[in-house]
Amino acid sequence: MSRLSFFFKRLVRMDFKAMWKTTGILKERSGKSRLWLLCDMLRCALKYNAGYVDYKIAQMYRLTDEQKKTQITRGLSNTIVRRMNDKAYWYLFDDKATFNNLFKEEVGRNWMKVDETTTVEELSAFLAENRDLIAKPLEGSSGVGIERFTADHWEGKEAEFLAELREKQIGIIEERVIQHPEMMRMCPTSVNTIRIATLLGEKKQGIVYAFLRIGNGNVMDNVDQGGMAARVDLETGTLLTVGADKQGNTFTQHPMTGTDIIGFKVPFFEEAKQMCLNAAQKVPQMRFVAWDVAITEKGPVFIEGNSFPSHAVPVAARRVSTTDVAMPLSKVLGEVTSSGDCWGAVGM
């Protein structure tokens, strides 16, 4: 899809009220006029396929043109994914039950699909062995519709609980992952997952990037649910950047626990990387996958795999300094694609 066609497609779906509100926020942050911001947004939309949310997350009003063109915007991200991943295989990742079956060794926990054929007896048998659950829609992203339930919620009223799950369009229930104490130290309210992206290229393959997604009081760690993200050094598993959320706030320490973010070391990081690299070989038609990995006391496990990785996580988790205003994601991607065999096709 060309930049111009993508621009007009987004234009007809634009939430102008939200865009106007965004310019008001950025006016306060940047000290620039609303007119200047609107004009710069329009230029970035036409030149870099950047929507107003991209513009806000990447703080493009602070960037030079050289820095702006290194950002992964929604338009560019969409183009990359569509060229790298065969859509006929997306369902293996998009359907959570299918994913859990395909990667059952890496998932490593009890789970049950819930649909119109599920009986109260089947559900009761599962609940008797699993007293702390995460319930999810069968498809979906950004943590939407995900809830936690404990035995106090359903005990003695399993039939009503089944009806509730169906009403909420829950498609799968899973044994809750208990994360490693070190990960708990960062934030105890959510499982803090590492997003590790793998690439299968014609000349090179490996890990593109890794970011720790950190919760901030909610059950989910997603940046769309108020969480934050920080870049992980691929060699050491140590966090290199402050935590940054989708609203542009940055944190040197976790606001709830006081844990230092820069320098925090992720346990079992080497094992997590190897698990993702091995898993990437199972479906070679999916050449660019972002894996969400939880760390338990026994090692890494998959939460899910993303056939259409969000660009918001790596863009939000930028390095904020006077010399590196926003981390150039293309530089990170270049660590495994320096030959340009894949990304060159989309102009990176």
Side-chain angles (χ1 to χ4, degrees):
M1 186 183 295
S2 70
R3 284 191 176 95
L4 198 58
S5 61
F6 181 80
F7 170 76
F8 283 112
K9 185 177 180 181
R10 295 298 301 162
L11 185 64
V12 298
R13 299 179 181 178
M14 183 77 71
D15 185 340
F16 289 98
K17 184 177 180 180
M19 184 183 72
W20 184 255
K21 182 179 179 181
T22 297
T23 59
I25 294 170
L26 299 185
K27 179 177 178 293
E28 295 300 317
R29 290 181 181 175
S30 67
K32 299 181 184 298
S33 71
R34 235 186 184 128
L35 179 61
W36 187 95
L37 289 165
L38 286 168
C39 290
D40 198 44
M41 278 184 184
L42 178 61
R43 189 174 72 89
C44 289
L46 291 169
K47 192 171 184 179
Y48 308 113
N49 275 359
Y52 68 88
V53 176
D54 295 325
Y55 189 90
K56 178 178 72 171
I57 295 173
Q59 297 185 1
M60 295 182 85
Y61 53 86
R62 299 178 61 191
L63 306 183
T64 65
D65 283 352
E66 283 300 306
Q67 291 172 316
K68 285 175 180 175
K69 71 181 182 182
T70 67
Q71 302 305 304
I72 296 294
T73 61
R74 180 172 179 177
L76 182 55
S77 176
N78 291 358
T79 302
I80 291 170
V81 173
R82 289 194 174 99
R83 293 195 181 187
M84 296 293 286
N85 295 343
D86 186 335
K87 195 169 184 177
Y89 294 85
W90 287 11
Y91 78 96
L92 296 174
F93 296 82
D94 297 344
D95 183 289
K96 292 177 173 59
T98 301
F99 178 86
N100 282 9
N101 267 324
L102 181 59
F103 298 98
K104 58 185 176 182
E105 292 182 5
E106 295 88 351
V107 168
R109 60 187 175 278
N110 297 326
W111 62 276
M112 177 183 180
K113 185 176 180 179
V114 178
D115 58 24
E116 66 279 356
T117 68
T118 303
T119 66
V120 175
E121 291 73 24
E122 290 170 334
L123 178 63
S124 297
F126 181 83
L127 296 177
E129 296 184 2
N130 302 278
R131 315 289 286 172
D132 194 348
L133 302 176
I134 295 294
K136 309 174 182 178
L138 206 56
E139 296 185 6
S141 60
S142 303
V144 176
I146 296 179
E147 294 188 52
R148 179 186 173 189
F149 295 103
T150 60
D152 291 341
H153 188 87
W154 69 70
E155 208 151 40
K157 45 184 179 179
E158 286 78 2
E160 290 88 344
F161 183 52
L162 178 57
E164 179 183 354
L165 294 176
R166 286 173 174 160
E167 183 182 350
K168 292 181 174 180
Q169 298 184 319
I170 296 298
I172 187 170
I173 51 177
E174 300 180 343
E175 171 190 9
R176 187 171 72 92
V177 172
I178 305 302
Q179 65 183 339
H180 193 285
E182 187 66 3
M183 304 299 282
M184 191 84 73
R185 185 172 69 86
M186 176 61 78
C187 178
T189 62
S190 63
V191 175
N192 308 295
T193 57
I194 320 163
R195 174 156 290 189
I196 300 176
T198 55
L199 175 83
L200 296 179
E202 295 170 0
K203 298 178 182 179
K204 290 189 177 185
Q205 59 187 35
I207 293 175
V208 180
Y209 59 71
F211 295 90
L212 180 63
R213 304 191 309 171
I214 307 166
N216 195 10
N218 292 329
V219 174
M220 301 303 300
D221 61 356
N222 303 61
V223 294
D224 289 318
Q225 300 294 325
M228 65 190 83
R231 184 183 173 193
V232 184
D233 181 77
L234 295 181
E235 297 299 321
T236 66
T238 301
L239 300 192
L240 295 174
T241 67
V242 297
D245 66 18
K246 201 171 181 179
Q247 304 308 313
N249 303 307
T250 58
F251 307 89
T252 57
Q253 294 182 324
H254 194 283
M256 289 175 56
T257 63
T259 303
D260 289 333
I261 293 176
I262 296 177
F264 179 88
K265 188 171 178 61
V266 177
F268 291 110
F269 186 64
E270 284 300 316
E271 290 84 350
K273 288 194 300 180
Q274 194 58 53
M275 182 176 74
C276 293
L277 289 170
N278 293 342
Q281 302 295 329
K282 286 190 179 182
V283 191
Q285 297 84 355
M286 299 291 292
R287 299 170 66 194
F288 179 46
V289 176
W291 311 89
D292 290 338
V293 181
I295 304 298
T296 73
E297 286 192 281
K298 295 181 179 179
V301 297
F302 279 156
I303 298 299
E304 63 181 16
N306 298 276
S307 64
F308 209 110
S310 168
H311 66 294
V313 174
V315 173
R318 59 198 174 276
R319 187 190 308 276
V320 180
S321 71
T322 55
T323 57
D324 187 6
V325 178
M327 185 184 66
L329 186 55
S330 60
K331 181 179 179 181
V332 180
L333 291 170
E335 292 174 7
V336 294
T337 59
S338 56
S339 62
D341 60 333
C342 298
W343 304 106
V346 290
M348 289 195 64

